[in-house]
Amino acid sequence: QVQLVESGGGLVQAGGFLRLSCAASGGTFSSYIVGWFRQAPGKEREFLIGIRWSSGLTSYADSVKGRFTISRDNAKNTVYLQMNSLKPDDTAVYYCAGAPGPGAEYDTWGQGTQVTVSS
């Protein structure tokens, strides 16, 4: 079974950038949809961005269009979330998740990585 491990979170000033990584172990992303989510204190988990591994097709939430991008590295079996122009409102725990195919639920989750944006 695929397991996901996020890394790359940390503290950054407003206007700065971070790149998060989501590495798969115990399997590959080959047929998966991989998405990034976040959850801020007191708020519901929010979908941000996703990529279909096989085709590279992406989808974005309006809240991150123009600032966040998603990419993948086939050789490393890793998905990246590039976050630019960060705002204090971006402070949250960020999770990557996998869905076994289009329309399926995200059923594999990483442990999350904290991103804190200071003003």
Side-chain angles (χ1 to χ4, degrees), residues 56-118:
L57 287 174
T58 58
S59 60
Y60 294 77
D62 288 343
S63 61
V64 301
K65 280 183 179 178
R67 297 194 301 128
F68 291 8
T69 57
I70 190 170
S71 61
R72 71 194 193 288
D73 185 323
N74 290 344
K76 295 182 178 180
N77 214 29
T78 298
V79 172
Y80 301 99
L81 176 63
Q82 179 69 40
M83 305 186 293
N84 299 326
S85 302
L86 284 165
K87 308 172 184 178
D89 284 349
D90 294 318
T91 295
V93 178
Y94 284 68
Y95 300 89
C96 70
E105 288 189 7
Y106 286 92
D107 60 2
T108 303
W109 293 83
Q111 82 286 357
T113 185
Q114 176 70 46
V115 171
T116 303
V117 184
S118 63

